[in-house]
Structure formats: structure tokens, C-alpha cells
Amino acid sequence: MGDDSCFLLIATGGTAPFAGKERKEVSEFMEKKEAAGRLEELRELINRHNYYYHVLDSPQISDAEFDRLMRELLALEKLYPDLVTPDSPSKRIGGMPVSAFQQARHFAPMLSLDNIFSESELKDFYRRIGKVFYTGTICLVGEPKIDGLAVSLYYEDGVFKRGATRGDGRIGEDITHNLLTIWSLPLRLKESITAEIRGEVFIPRSEFLMLNKKRESQGLSLFANPRNAAAGSLRQLDPRVAAERPLDIFIYALIAISGTKELNTHWDSLQYLRELGFKVNENISLLNGLDDAVEYCRMIGAKRLELPYEIDGVVLKVNDLERQLQLGHTSRAPRWAVAFKFSSEEEITRIKDIEVNVGRTGTVTPVAVLEPVLIAGSVVKRASLHNEDILKEKEVMIGDEVVVHKAGDVIPEIVKVLKEKRTGNEKAFSMPATCPSCNRGLIRLEGEVALRCVNPACPAQLIERIIHFASRGAMDITGLGASLAVQLYESGLVKDVGDLYYLKKEDLVKLERMGGKSADNLLEALQRSKQNDLSRLLVALGIRFVGERAARILAFHFKNLYRIASAAFEEVIMLEEIGPKIAFSLQEFFKQKETKEIIHKLEEAGVNFSLLEEEREVEGEGIFEGYTFVLTGTLSGYTRQQAKELIESKGGKVVNSVSKKTDYVLAGKSPGSKLNKAMELGIKILSEEDFSRLSNS
Ligand code: IVH
């Protein structure tokens, strides 16, 4: 093979053009024997510097120097293909595609882990393993649980031979060709051992973002998360694809090893794996007992978002290998380890803008518009910033990177601003002085944190009220969402919620995107909503502080909207769970002219204002559900037995003596010592009057 063909092959290999001098060195002076020696030297050099760079994260030579070594190696290997060894760094560049994945049987089954989600479950785990040993403290190893893909690696005489996915735990797929492309995976170990080793392949966060950016610019579909990207890369037949992906690997277990190496603890085996040249996570920790373990989980949990790779929890493993054996495993998971999972309720994203939202009660709230992120299974695009005080306290700026939290159905919140990530291009934000919808000056009521628009005719508020009125927890008018509410308001068809019931088909069909069928459906939904029970109507009216629970209590007690509207303040605050805030709010609401007009329109349209029979039953049935009563003294309207039956028929329980667990003491005339005891313990005391009112009898 001549000089020129060598040059050509290197060029097609995708490396930079060959410098003249090096070419000369290779071609003119290198006899095969000499080449073999130089190749060995190069392999050693490259593998060493690769180790410094990718495993220790501390490069000793420049990238250019490294590339030069790599080019020299490739050139020599092209010249003498029979001198290519299995541990040659050239293997990393991506060899030939495989036609199909071969099956690979694991020496020992690849088990899963049992998950726990709380500190109390962690205590249970610790207690469970403790029972087996009857000794004091148990030593554990804590490791971050990398959110990637488990792989099994087989080394023979110190050389990487084969790697496989987990598969069904017994047999996986041979993905050696792709694993070779991972620079932090050693191809030759520092000792010539034969061993099976396990680890997790992953893509670091920042590399993942760059990968997706690149794909976006190429018009390719984006990966949902680093884990999927890593998994997708390993399941490629063509290793050149994996070679393009920023794959990395952490090693977390030594499964089997040849020879007489004595290892007694998991901790020692991790240190040994590190000595062999593997990348072992830097945040592992030796934990002495339960308190240490709890502390470790908290510490890693707090650090989680700052780590350059994604983790979904912490793995805790019994350190003593002898004890691991004693504990054994089930068919699914070892008994000596557990995964303490973090709920993925927090993510980092960027604030694109801050908008000001006017709520239905006129409250003006700053809302962060976010770069969309996936949190707890749904895409989050906006997060409330609550009010001016919080905005100032958190020092939020437009363009900031922030930690966003979302738990279940709770509205997403900004937990923390990552000030250290600021570039200087962020923009400050302050709340406007006037309402963004009606331009009226905003006021801050005494004792309130929120800015408020008090203009009763403010369009934003009116629209929000329509949306709220129609929402599922309120009148449940299917088809009437935010965009239609805006259309109805802006077209002048609806000025308040009362107008909804006077809509006509001929008006509706004139609206954009509203066909005859949709109009019919909407009118039907409106018609249906007239039969809703009183508590729904109360919620729908959007009275401040009157949510579902308060609405039920009010509906159940007063039974009719008019009675609520005219109820005396004193009567309202008498009700269980209803305080002066709600009572004031009701008074304020019902005395307004606008409210009176709405109520009139609703009544004329035939909207139900009364407590329906079904509602009575539902309410009556379980009002004492879960409560424990004690009876004392003589009741005038009931015998003891009648009172007991009444309580039980409504889900409550009657017991004989007062304890901390008692919820109510029903006290009649001449009560006994039970009353004193109840007072001592601070238990609620009901008079007979209270009782009959509550039980509605
Ligand atoms: S040990 C027999 N350690 O979590 C014990 N697993 O849910 C096997 N994982 O399949 C696992 N980081 O893919 C272990 N430090 C770590 C880990 C870890 C991530 C993954 C692994 C495993 C899964 C179990």
C-alpha cells in the first residue's frame, strides 16, 4: 500500500488532512516492526490521555495534540491493518454496521431494584435488613441513581470484549459496536483481569441540549429527554450513529471477577473499579447507619438539579458483600439494595417573558412565560409569580434560568432563580401601575399583597368570570372555554354571565369558527346547566373565598340562593368552617348592583336556585363521616339512642369516653365529667341546637 492511498483512507475516515512531515514519518521510516512498537506506544498514549480527559475530567494535553496522536495511529493502522488490536482507540470512531443484534446471555441475572419514595419507607428497609443480622449499625453505600440505560460489560484478560443491554434480565442484546464508541469506557484495563461489570450509559444534560439543538437545525425530530436519546443511540445497528452521540457511562457494580482479588465490601469494589480505569460516580458515599442514609438522600436530592447528568433517585446498597449474599434476592430485585426515588416535580427552564394576568376578582398577577418543559408528566409553559412582593423577593428577571416545581395538579411555581447562570442580557421587570386590560389605575388594598383592578367593567375580569362560570367545577358548560369566552365578550353578545342564557343560534353562528352544530351543542349545554344544583351555581358566581366546600355548606344550610343573598352576617359565621372572611365577602357580593342584575337574568332564564333532592341526600348522608362523638347530659329533642342512631346514619361514630381522638362532645342539660374532660383537652363541644342544625333534623 503506497503513501498516497494511506492519505486517502485517512481523509475518508473524516480526520483532518495529514501534515506533510507526519506523512513522511509514517511512510518512509516505519518498517512493520517499528510500526508495531509505535502503535503500542500510541495506543497507550491515547488511552491514557483519553482517560485523563473523559474519566478524570482533567486533560493533560491539548485537543489538537490528541487529534494528532489519533491521526498518526489511524494512518499506521491503515498501513498495517493486521496490527489493529481489539483495544485500539480507532475502534471508537465507529466500525461497520451490524446486520442484527445478537443475543447475549448474562453471567448473572441483571436485576431491577425495589423503589421507595419516602424516608419512612427507607426506615422500613433499614429495619428489614437489620432483622437479619441482629447487630447494631449497618453500613450502606449511597450512589446517585443515574437515569440512563443499564449495560453489562465483559472484559477478558483486561480487554473489553462484549457489552449488552439488560433485555429480560437473563438475555440482552449485544451492543458492543455501540459501546466501543463511548470514550469514557476503557478498552483495556489497568490489570489483566476477566470480569463482568455493570454500569449505566447516559448523556449529560448540556450535551443533550446541544444534540437537540443540532437536530432542530437539521429538521430532525427532537428527543424527549437524555434517557431516550441514550437508549435510542445504543439501539442502532450502525455504530457511526452512536459515535456521533455524546454517550457517557458510570460503572456501579463488579459482578464477577477472575483470580484471587480479595474484595469484602461494595465500597472497596467501587474503589477497585476506579483503579482499573472505570468512571465511577464522584458522589458515592459510605453511610454508617440509617441517619447517614437519610442525610445522604436529602443531600443528593438538594443537589440533584445541579448535577451535570440526570438522576431519578439514590441507590442504597448494603456494603458488606457477605451480608449481601445472606440477604439474597427475589426473582426481581436484590434484598440488599433499594432505590430511593425522587419525584420528578422540578425542572430547570428559562423565563421567556413575564405577563400580567387579571383574574376574575380583579387580582393582578405576574405570570412567567416559560420555555416549555416536561414536569411530572405534563408540559409546563407558564408559572405564577404570585405578586409583586414575591417577584421582588425572588429577584426574577426576564431571561433568567429558573427551577420550576409542579406537584400533581398544583399550579407550577418558580422555586428558585439560578442567578449564577445570568449572562447580563436579562431584563428587569416591574409591575405596571395600570390595569393591562382596562388601563384603570391599580390599587393595593390594605393588608393585601396583591395589586387589584377595581373597575367592575374591566374586560379581562368579565372574561375571566365567564370562563370560570362555565368551568368544570362550576356550571360545567361544555364547549365554553377561554377562546369562546373572549369571542362572546368582544362581540358584545355577553357582558356578564347572565347573558349566556339569552344567546341565540343566529348570533352564535356569526362568530368565527362557530358552525351550526357547535352552536347547537353550546345551547344544549347551557340548557342542561340550568338544572345544576345550588352549590355549583354558588361556585360559578365566583364569590371571593367561596370555593366548593364553602358553597356546599352554604347551599346545604340555606337551601336557596335568595336566602344566602339575604342571610345575616351572624347567621353565616355560625356555620361550621365558615368564617368572617367568607361572610363579609358574601355581603359585599350580594349588595352590588351588578350582582343583582345577574341574579335577575339567571332567574328569568330558569336557572335553578335551590338545593336539589340529590344534593340533600349526598350532603345528609355523610356529614359526620369519620368523626367520633361522645354524648353527655340530657337532650331535650332526642333520647340517647336516637342521637346515636342519627350520628351513625350520617357516617359518625359514638363512643363512651372522651379522649384526644374524640372530635365532638354533644352536651345536653346537666352534663357529667365528660364535659370537663372535653374542655381540658380542647375538644369541640356541641350544644343540642348546634347538633340539630348540623345534622339537619
Ligand atoms: S444497582 C442489583 N446502581 O437503576 C442492583 N443501579 O431500577 C442493580 N441504576 O437497572 C442496580 N444508577 O439501570 C444500580 N448506582 C446505581 C444505578 C443503578 C442507575 C439503574 C440501573 C438499574 C435500575 C434499577
Side-chain angles (χ1 to χ4, degrees):
M1 209 183 279
D3 201 0
D4 283 333
S5 68
C6 160
F7 173 74
L8 201 88
L9 280 164
I10 295 153
T12 50
T15 48
F18 219 41
K21 183 171 154 273
E22 287 146 359
R23 218 170 99 206
K24 209 164 144 206
E25 266 173 24
V26 171
S27 60
E28 281 178 18
F29 306 121
M30 291 255 171
E31 291 301 324
K32 186 163 181 182
K33 212 170 133 203
E34 209 180 328
R38 177 62 180 157
L39 269 174
E40 180 155 4
E41 224 170 71
L42 282 168
R43 278 197 299 272
E44 199 277 322
L45 259 175
I46 294 171
N47 281 339
R48 175 144 44 97
H49 286 295
N50 174 50
Y51 174 75
Y52 286 136
Y53 187 98
H54 289 281
V55 179
L56 299 185
D57 205 9
S58 104
Q60 306 284 316
I61 56 172
S62 69
D63 288 3
E65 180 67 6
F66 186 85
D67 287 348
R68 200 197 63 74
L69 293 172
M70 208 47 201
R71 279 202 305 273
E72 191 185 341
L73 173 107
L74 287 169
L76 271 174
E77 284 189 350
K78 290 297 173 200
L79 219 46
Y80 302 105
D82 54 327
L83 291 182
V84 178
T85 59
D87 65 334
S88 167
S90 61
K91 298 270 177 198
R92 301 203 185 271
I93 296 186
M96 295 303 286
V98 298
S99 53
F101 293 110
Q102 300 296 313
Q103 288 199 338
R105 184 177 288 274
H106 306 304
F107 287 94
M110 278 183 89
L111 298 172
S112 193
L113 288 171
D114 284 332
N115 292 329
I116 54 170
F117 297 92
S118 65
E119 288 179 8
S120 80
E121 282 179 287
L122 173 53
K123 276 183 200 135
D124 293 344
F125 164 73
Y126 190 80
R127 224 175 283 140
R128 223 167 32 239
I129 52 175
K131 272 195 197 145
V132 179
F133 305 122
Y134 306 104
T135 62
T137 316
I138 300 162
C139 194
L140 302 170
V141 176
E143 301 169 21
K145 186 171 183 305
I146 313 299
D147 197 7
L149 230 89
V151 294
S152 188
L153 310 166
Y154 176 63
Y155 284 79
E156 209 172 76
D157 298 326
V159 178
F160 176 55
K161 265 272 144 51
R162 200 187 66 177
T165 59
R166 178 171 184 274
D168 64 4
R170 286 186 322 118
I171 299 173
E173 282 174 338
D174 187 326
I175 49 162
T176 312
H177 58 299
N178 290 329
L179 291 170
L180 283 167
T181 69
I182 304 177
W183 289 89
S184 54
L185 184 79
L187 301 182
R188 174 178 285 280
L189 303 178
K190 303 235 165 83
E191 290 176 29
S192 286
I193 52 149
T194 294
E196 180 155 341
I197 278 142
R198 305 263 161 90
E200 193 87 352
V201 175
F202 67 99
I203 292 182
R205 281 177 203 278
S206 57
E207 303 277 357
F208 168 74
L209 291 176
M210 275 180 343
L211 175 67
N212 256 358
K213 228 175 220 163
K214 194 166 136 204
R215 287 178 71 85
E216 193 173 17
S217 71
Q218 294 168 337
L220 296 170
S221 63
L222 302 187
F223 290 115
N225 52 51
R227 201 191 113 80
N228 286 3
S233 309
L234 288 182
R235 296 214 71 261
Q236 296 287 331
L237 293 170
D238 187 346
R240 283 168 295 195
V241 179
E244 292 279 302
R245 305 272 168 82
L247 296 168
D248 205 337
I249 188 167
F250 277 126
I251 299 302
Y252 55 65
L254 175 59
I255 299 297
I257 181 171
S258 60
T260 52
K261 179 82 192 168
E262 197 170 317
L263 291 165
N264 296 320
T265 65
H266 177 60
W267 182 259
D268 287 349
S269 71
L270 289 176
Q271 302 309 324
Y272 179 56
L273 285 166
R274 208 174 252 157
E275 285 163 26
L276 287 173
F278 287 108
K279 181 158 165 169
V280 174
N281 194 286
E282 69 280 18
N283 284 302
I284 58 169
S285 184
L286 199 53
L287 311 167
N288 214 2
L290 179 64
D291 290 349
D292 271 14
V294 169
E295 184 54 35
Y296 178 76
C297 292
R298 287 185 193 160
M299 187 270 288
I300 297 290
K303 224 172 146 170
R304 179 181 169 208
L305 293 177
E306 284 152 31
L307 294 175
Y309 40 83
E310 296 215 326
I311 63 170
D312 59 347
V314 159
V315 184
L316 298 161
K317 304 173 183 175
V318 168
N319 189 31
D320 189 308
L321 296 179
E322 185 64 40
R323 287 184 168 187
Q324 284 192 1
L325 274 176
Q326 265 174 279
L327 284 160
H329 57 81
T330 65
S331 60
R332 211 189 78 82
R335 290 197 192 89
W336 45 263
V338 80
F340 182 101
K341 298 268 276 194
F342 301 141
S343 52
S344 70
E345 291 172 345
E346 283 186 358
E347 286 301 333
I348 293 177
T349 189
R350 207 177 56 84
I351 300 185
K352 290 204 290 189
D353 198 4
I354 297 177
E355 285 179 358
V356 176
N357 188 45
V358 186
R360 65 186 155 81
T361 57
T363 317
V364 176
T365 326
V367 178
V369 183
L370 307 168
E371 297 269 15
V373 269
L374 195 69
I375 314 179
S378 69
V379 176
V380 174
K381 295 178 181 162
R382 297 163 71 84
S384 174
L385 289 164
H386 302 288
N387 57 52
E388 210 172 9
D389 291 356
I390 292 188
L391 199 67
K392 278 192 190 137
E393 183 191 302
K394 293 197 172 149
E395 298 176 56
V396 183
M397 293 174 91
I398 298 170
D400 268 339
E401 276 202 45
V402 287
V403 177
V404 182
H405 173 96
K406 183 181 146 251
D409 291 336
V410 177
I411 302 162
E413 261 193 314
I414 288 177
V415 187
K416 189 166 132 192
V417 175
L418 301 175
K419 294 194 184 126
E420 67 279 8
K421 297 264 181 95
R422 282 193 177 149
T423 60
N425 294 328
E426 292 75 18
K427 276 193 294 186
F429 173 85
S430 52
M431 289 294 276
T434 57
C435 172
S437 174
C438 67
N439 255 331
R440 194 70 89 73
L442 297 175
I443 60 161
R444 191 165 167 166
L445 298 177
E446 217 183 289
E448 285 195 10
V449 279
L451 280 174
R452 197 173 285 285
C453 169
V454 288
N455 176 8
C458 168
Q461 290 180 52
L462 296 172
I463 291 168
E464 287 297 327
R465 272 180 226 152
I466 298 169
I467 298 169
H468 172 77
F469 187 84
S471 66
R472 205 173 311 155
M475 293 300 261
D476 194 16
I477 304 166
T478 324
L480 179 44
S483 57
L484 181 58
V486 173
Q487 278 182 296
L488 289 172
Y489 180 81
E490 286 180 349
S491 63
L493 289 174
V494 175
K495 289 196 186 58
D496 63 42
V497 295
D499 294 338
L500 287 171
Y501 292 97
Y502 299 87
L503 287 169
K504 292 192 191 62
K505 185 172 175 179
E506 59 263 37
D507 293 328
L508 284 173
V509 290
K510 285 184 203 143
L511 298 174
E512 233 175 276
R513 297 185 304 276
M514 175 70 79
K517 184 86 189 111
S518 316
D520 284 339
N521 288 345
L522 178 66
L523 291 172
E524 209 182 295
L526 279 160
Q527 193 61 27
R528 225 178 311 125
S529 76
K530 291 182 185 172
Q531 302 310 316
N532 281 341
D533 56 40
L534 174 59
S535 59
R536 269 185 185 275
L537 178 62
L538 269 177
V539 171
L541 287 173
I543 307 162
R544 281 190 86 194
F545 310 123
V546 180
E548 267 175 51
R549 177 79 192 148
R552 270 182 193 231
I553 296 168
L554 291 166
F556 184 62
H557 179 80
F558 291 103
K559 299 186 175 57
N560 177 290
L561 187 68
Y562 280 120
R563 286 195 54 209
I564 299 173
S566 58
F569 183 82
E570 292 72 18
E571 189 176 359
V572 178
I573 54 166
M574 280 279 291
L575 293 174
E576 201 54 37
E577 293 180 56
I578 305 283
K581 237 163 73 172
I582 295 179
F584 270 126
S585 174
L586 284 168
Q587 305 250 299
E588 276 302 304
F589 180 80
F590 285 109
K591 82 176 182 212
Q592 281 177 35
K593 193 173 107 254
E594 289 85 358
T595 305
K596 287 184 180 142
E597 279 170 16
I598 290 171
I599 288 178
H600 181 68
K601 285 184 202 172
L602 294 174
E603 189 178 33
E604 288 286 297
V607 173
N608 170 56
F609 276 13
S610 308
L611 185 73
L612 299 176
E613 273 314 310
E614 310 94 78
E615 198 179 5
R616 269 174 224 265
E617 274 167 27
V618 174
E619 274 301 333
E621 224 170 45
I623 192 149
F624 296 146
E625 198 67 66
Y627 291 114
T628 303
F629 285 75
V630 171
L631 311 182
T632 179
T634 319
L635 302 169
S636 57
Y638 318 78
T639 63
R640 280 271 176 117
Q641 189 54 30
Q642 281 170 336
K644 184 167 184 271
E645 276 171 13
L646 184 58
I647 292 166
E648 284 168 354
S649 74
K650 291 176 186 298
K653 204 166 79 183
V654 178
V655 297
N656 279 328
S657 55
V658 179
S659 76
K660 270 191 273 180
K661 287 191 189 145
T662 314
D663 296 296
Y664 291 107
V665 169
L666 170 53
K669 285 210 180 83
S670 344
S673 62
K674 291 176 186 173
L675 184 66
N676 296 336
K677 178 108 191 261
M679 289 201 288
E680 255 172 53
L681 292 173
I683 287 158
K684 263 211 181 106
I685 295 155
L686 291 180
S687 66
E688 189 172 338
E689 254 175 74
D690 296 335
F691 175 68
S692 47
R693 187 169 38 76
L694 274 175
S695 57
N696 193 38
S697 57

